[in-house]
C-alpha cells in the first residue's frame, strides 16, 4: 500500500499501517458475527497460528 506524499515529503510507518489493517480485519469480522468474537476467532482473524508457525519455521 502506498501513501501519497503530503507537501512533497512522505513518511511511512509500516508497523502502524499493518496495525490499522489488522484493526480493520477485526472490525469486519466483528460486524459479520452474530455474537462476540471468541478468543479463538480473534486469533484466526489475526492469523496468530500462521505467525507462530512462520516464527518457528517448523509448524510444530
Amino acid at each position: 500500500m502506498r501513501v501519497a506524499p503530503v507537501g512533497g515529503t512522505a513518511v511511512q510507518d509500516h508497523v502502524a499501517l499493518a496495525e490499522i489493517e489488522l484493526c480493520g480485519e477485526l472490525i469486519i469480522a466483528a460486524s459479520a458475527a452474530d455474537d462476540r468474537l471468541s478468543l479463538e476467532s480473534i486469533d484466526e482473524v489475526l492469523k496468530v497460528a500462521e505467525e507462530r508457525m512462520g516464527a518457528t519455521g517448523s509448524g510444530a
Side-chain angles (χ1 to χ4, degrees), residues 1 3 11-24:
M1 174 180 199
V3 178
V11 177
Q12 292 185 4
D13 185 339
H14 297 287
V15 173
L17 291 174
E19 289 178 356
I20 291 166
E21 185 175 339
L22 290 174
C23 287

Side-chain angles (χ1 to χ4, degrees), residues 2-3 6 13-14 20-21 23 25 41-42 45 52 54 59:
R2 294 200 178 264
V3 178
V6 177
D13 185 339
H14 297 287
I20 291 166
E21 185 175 339
C23 287
E25 294 295 329
S41 296
I42 292 170
V45 170
R52 286 183 181 152

Side-chain angles (χ1 to χ4, degrees), residues 22-58:
L22 290 174
C23 287
E25 294 295 329
L26 281 174
I27 291 168
I28 291 167
S31 66
D34 293 330
D35 203 3
R36 289 182 170 208
L37 294 177
S38 66
L39 293 177
E40 292 80 17
S41 296
I42 292 170
D43 285 350
E44 185 177 322
V45 170
L46 298 178
K47 301 177 181 158
V48 171
E50 292 176 22
E51 286 297 318
R52 286 183 181 152
M53 283 189 279
T56 61
S58 66

